[in-house]
Amino acid sequence: MGTRRRVGLLMAGVVLFSLIVPTSVASAAKPKNSDPQEGVTPTSITVGGVEVASGEGGFTEAGQAIGAKAYFNQVNAAGGVFGRKINFIGAQDDGYSATSDVSIVQNLVEQKHVFAVVPVATNNFTGGSYLVQNNVPFIGSGNGTPYCGTQSGFGFLGCAVPNLAPGSPVTPAIGKTIEAVLKQRGELTKGVKPSIAMTFNSSGSGPAAAPPLVAEMKAAGFKVSAAMTTIPAQGTADYSPYAQQIMTSNNGKPPSSVFLVNAGTVIVGLKEALVAAGYKGPVFDATTYSPQTTQNPQLVQALQGEYSILQVQPAEANFPAVKQMLKAMRNVAGASYVPDIYAEEGYESAAMLVDMLKATGPNLTRGTMLTKVNSGFNFEIPNLFGEIPWPESHAQPVGCDAAVQLKGKQWKVVQDLECYANIPIPPA
């Protein structure tokens, strides 16, 4: 992968609406190759998604449907893509169930006749195999094997479970983001590797996520003191044993930092147990960034000082592209709507699909789009979503991260979105 550019320095002050919606040229060309069985007519492209809106530990990614609808509405208001409007039929809840996943995508393809499954907002996506077999495009996180080594699965994290052989490319982005926070806090010691303990759910995508993240943290220069995959996704009554394990993981001492790669109430339980055990270092996660957190007094108290890592620009960041996104989402969900990270990911998934459609041209089938994208295509909205190159990202991760911290009742940006070049896994 080529050298990444720092997103926060690109095109500062430029209004980016022209990058967000199709141009008049794209809208004016005459559509061709309509196939209703593939969800394409002369005037429409049908798109539907799958999401986890209920399930283990109260975890939900339901905001993705709002983000996707917001983006598609902008596109339709500007005339569509080559005259075709996006017919977004929403996202069905899989309840965090692998069985439901498969039946939902089969229904979307065979009964609803969708052109593409967007967004895919579930970390337990077994339905991806069916879509790969049938050459149906789908866009989601990249957390899972359907996104790796396939032609129709597109992850906005690239392939987040890549080959872990020495020399294979991994992203140091999360490690570099955590390192930047440690530097801000004055907790880096020159010549000493920072240490980190990580926790994962015992089911779902947890066990699969641990090995690549360990490799990424080591590549970023961290000593991984623990990578625990024994914590039940539905939570437990007593988190103190896990906290004690973390507190002694660094040769009998606490690590420099802790990354909770969990969801729902598990993070709250672990954070409270760590505080009770006397942990003083920074605690990171990738899921608590949400307006629901700041609106709940108990969560505000429990998660005070928590850092959350995002793969998108925080909604609190002051960039024109962020303001345009917020406006579009509020047109869908109300003037007071504040997005969570999943709403932003849904917006990103929709934006990526639209850019793929524009690149393909009016002669649209699933096949023509997949051929075009997999022959060379880059997606990016500067200051909002980092660059994602295809087909390279079918085989390696994309490394862009930002960080926010819960201070009082507000999330504060501590690092704007920044992208990093992948680096090879060092020899064992």
Side-chain angles (χ1 to χ4, degrees):
M1 184 180 301
T3 300
R4 294 268 184 204
R5 293 169 288 180
R6 181 174 178 180
V7 175
L9 296 178
L10 288 173
M11 300 179 66
V14 177
V15 177
L16 298 171
F17 187 72
S18 63
L19 294 178
I20 295 177
V21 297
T23 64
S24 58
V25 174
S27 299
K30 186 177 180 180
K32 300 178 182 178
N33 275 28
S34 301
D35 184 351
Q37 293 301 306
E38 285 198 0
V40 182
T41 76
T43 59
S44 69
I45 302 168
T46 299
V47 176
V50 55
E51 65 184 14
V52 51
S54 59
E56 292 181 337
F59 178 66
T60 175
E61 296 188 24
Q64 288 220 22
I66 293 174
K69 183 176 181 180
Y71 193 87
F72 289 141
N73 281 359
Q74 290 184 111
V75 172
N76 290 340
V81 184
F82 298 106
R84 294 183 173 106
K85 301 291 184 71
I86 307 296
N87 174 28
F88 180 55
I89 62 174
Q92 299 182 39
D93 180 17
D94 71 356
Y96 215 90
S97 164
T99 303
S100 295
D101 242 6
V102 176
S103 61
I104 285 172
V105 297
Q106 286 179 325
N107 176 263
L108 287 171
V109 173
E110 298 172 12
Q111 304 300 320
K112 304 296 185 183
H113 300 296
V114 299
F115 174 81
V117 178
V118 178
V120 174
T122 175
N123 289 328
N124 198 20
F125 191 48
T126 53
S129 297
Y130 169 85
L131 298 178
V132 169
Q133 291 168 6
N134 289 277
N135 294 313
V136 178
F138 58 99
I139 300 175
S141 66
N143 285 322
T145 54
Y147 298 96
C148 301
T150 71
Q151 296 295 300
S152 59
F154 300 90
F156 47 76
L157 301 179
C159 169
V161 285
N163 181 359
L164 297 180
S168 298
V170 292
T171 172
I174 292 177
K176 292 298 184 183
T177 302
I178 292 175
E179 183 181 53
V181 171
L182 290 171
K183 184 176 182 180
Q184 289 178 23
R185 292 167 59 98
E187 296 176 7
L188 283 179
T189 302
K190 188 176 181 180
V192 177
K193 280 189 176 183
S195 55
I196 189 165
M198 298 184 290
T199 64
F200 303 82
N201 287 348
S202 61
S203 59
S205 61
L213 193 50
V214 168
E216 290 169 10
M217 297 305 299
K218 289 181 177 179
F222 276 75
K223 171 188 174 183
V224 178
S225 65
M228 300 159 55
T229 59
T230 56
I231 302 171
Q234 68 273 16
T236 181
D238 183 10
Y239 288 94
S240 60
Y242 302 109
Q244 288 300 322
Q245 187 176 341
I246 291 170
M247 292 293 288
T248 58
S249 64
N250 186 26
N251 295 326
K253 300 182 296 183
S256 307
S257 53
V258 176
F259 187 22
L260 307 177
V261 193
N262 303 90
T265 57
V266 174
I267 288 176
V268 176
L270 285 169
K271 172 72 183 301
E272 290 179 329
L274 284 167
V275 171
Y279 182 69
K280 303 297 184 183
V283 179
F284 299 82
D285 66 65
T287 58
T288 62
Y289 172 70
S290 165
Q292 285 73 33
T293 300
T294 58
Q295 293 164 6
N296 184 315
Q298 287 77 30
L299 289 180
V300 167
Q301 180 178 359
L303 296 173
Q304 196 60 215
E306 183 94 354
Y307 293 90
S308 197
I309 295 177
L310 316 142
Q311 288 77 43
V312 295
Q313 193 73 271
E316 292 78 10
N318 186 25
F319 293 104
V322 175
K323 294 176 182 178
Q324 176 61 42
M325 177 186 69
L326 292 175
K327 179 181 178 181
M329 290 182 179
R330 286 165 181 166
N331 285 339
V332 170
S336 62
Y337 180 72
V338 179
D340 58 17
I341 186 174
Y342 302 112
E344 289 200 49
E345 289 175 351
Y347 192 87
E348 181 175 17
S349 295
M352 192 187 305
L353 175 64
V354 168
D355 268 17
M356 290 175 175
L357 295 171
K358 290 165 61 178
T360 303
N363 184 7
L364 180 64
T365 65
R366 292 175 187 150
T368 59
M369 192 184 85
L370 291 175
T371 297
K372 173 61 181 177
V373 172
N374 289 315
S375 297
F377 169 80
N378 278 26
F379 169 78
E380 180 181 17
I381 298 180
N383 299 318
L384 188 60
F385 306 126
E387 182 186 6
I388 308 174
W390 302 102
E392 296 93 330
S393 298
H394 287 303
Q396 59 189 34
V398 172
C400 301
D401 282 303
V404 294
Q405 185 183 23
L406 186 61
K407 291 186 175 182
K409 296 181 179 180
Q410 294 183 317
W411 289 105
K412 301 291 186 180
V413 180
V414 295
Q415 179 175 301
D416 289 332
L417 187 70
E418 188 162 347
C419 296
Y420 301 86
N422 287 345
I423 58 179
I425 296 175

